[in-house]
Amino acid sequence: MHPLVSVDELRAELEGADPPVVLDVRWSLGGPDGAAEHARGHAPGAVYVDLDTQLASPPGPGTGRHPLPDPAALQEVLRDAGVREGSRVVVTDAGPATSAARGWWVLRWAGLPDVRVLDGGWAAWVAAGGPVETAAPLPAPGDVVVRPGALPVLDADAAARLARDGVLLDARAPERYRGEVEPVDPVAGHVPGARSAPTTGNVGADGRFLPPRELRQRFAALGAEPGRTVGVYCGSGVTAAHALLALEVAGVPALLWPGSWSQWVADPARPVATGPEPG
């Protein structure tokens, strides 16, 4: 199943007899508030899901800023959103899918088989003249069962080994990778041996993902190809999911490190690299 759905495809599905469940995961580091943006307008029937509190557990010592959600709590969230066993689910955000991809990954990790991301997000929906609602949806309760662990994950030690023996991609902005700035975490830099692969390189100017051939070329240049073990991290496992989604489109299996840089720097004994990648 292709992990992306276009505006036209989603619009047709929502007008059909068996529409998918749409989850709105608008979120960005430092705002604006996703719930408020959702209330101002969303796709028909879309239910808002909060990335910080519903798609992640509270941060704790050494866990990173967005730990994996508690399965029972996630199951309740999804049932409240109307997700049933066998439901098709589409996740969207403001665009370009940096937070929707986290929702996509979490739901796949939770065992839901049919999850897609709206390519281009809310920006693409509005630009195409998609119908807009402001009323809060009242979905019938779902009965989905969360089965965690359907996707494998990396921890800090496995990520360090992968940086030495495989391919570990850093999805943050290049200046954060180089250690020139760090707006959130207490230490700047990157995991030694990681390769810079900012998420901005996954999409075009319209906020939609690049075609599969172009994504394959991009990741091949970074050493990420089928047959190699590939992992991805970012600050806290959110934008790294965007890279995993792009890798999925490209046909390259990869692993998410949920703890990411925020977990790495929680241990002062772990090494930190700065500057550009070695030539």
Side-chain angles (χ1 to χ4, degrees):
M1 182 188 65
H2 198 279
L4 301 177
V5 61
S6 71
V7 168
D8 289 343
E9 290 168 336
L10 178 58
R11 188 168 183 172
E13 291 181 21
L14 289 176
E15 293 170 353
D18 182 27
V21 176
V22 180
L23 303 181
D24 185 345
V25 190
R26 272 180 264 190
W27 175 91
S28 63
L29 192 62
D33 179 66
E37 293 293 304
H38 172 83
R40 280 191 277 271
H42 50 263
V47 178
Y48 180 72
V49 177
D50 185 73
L51 187 148
D52 283 324
T53 62
Q54 295 179 306
L55 295 179
S57 294
T63 64
R65 284 183 277 109
H66 286 107
L68 294 178
D70 173 73
L74 177 63
Q75 179 171 286
E76 182 177 354
V77 166
L78 296 179
R79 289 184 174 187
D80 287 346
V83 181
R84 301 187 59 82
E85 284 285 277
S87 285
R88 293 174 297 131
V89 180
V90 173
V91 190
T92 185
D93 60 12
T98 46
S99 54
R102 167 74 179 209
W104 165 80
W105 186 90
V106 166
L107 268 59
R108 294 290 313 283
W109 167 83
L112 278 68
D114 194 339
V115 187
R116 294 167 293 163
V117 169
L118 177 62
D119 199 9
W122 178 244
W125 184 263
V126 172
V132 175
E133 289 184 353
T134 56
L138 296 172
D143 61 2
V144 69
V145 176
V146 164
R147 301 173 176 88
L151 295 180
V153 298
L154 297 172
D155 60 17
D157 291 338
R161 290 193 296 271
L162 194 55
R164 294 191 305 267
D165 305 327
V167 179
L168 182 65
L169 302 180
D170 185 321
R172 298 173 300 161
E175 60 271 20
R176 289 182 73 186
Y177 171 88
R178 294 192 296 265
E180 297 167 357
V181 297
E182 181 43 65
V184 186
D185 294 307
V187 180
H190 59 267
V191 176
R195 307 177 191 187
S196 180
T199 54
T200 50
N202 298 329
V203 297
D206 60 0
R208 292 177 173 86
F209 281 86
L210 298 174
R213 181 180 61 83
E214 293 183 31
L215 288 171
R216 281 193 294 271
Q217 291 173 342
R218 178 184 191 229
F219 290 120
L222 294 165
E225 299 178 284
R228 300 198 70 182
T229 304
V230 179
V232 189
Y233 76 98
C234 58
S236 63
V238 175
T239 54
H242 189 274
L244 254 76
L245 180 54
L247 285 157
E248 179 98 350
V249 172
V252 181
L255 305 169
L256 181 72
W257 175 15
S260 285
W261 184 247
S262 56
Q263 182 184 43
W264 184 263
V265 297
D267 183 350
R270 293 191 179 115
V272 171
T274 56
E277 296 178 56

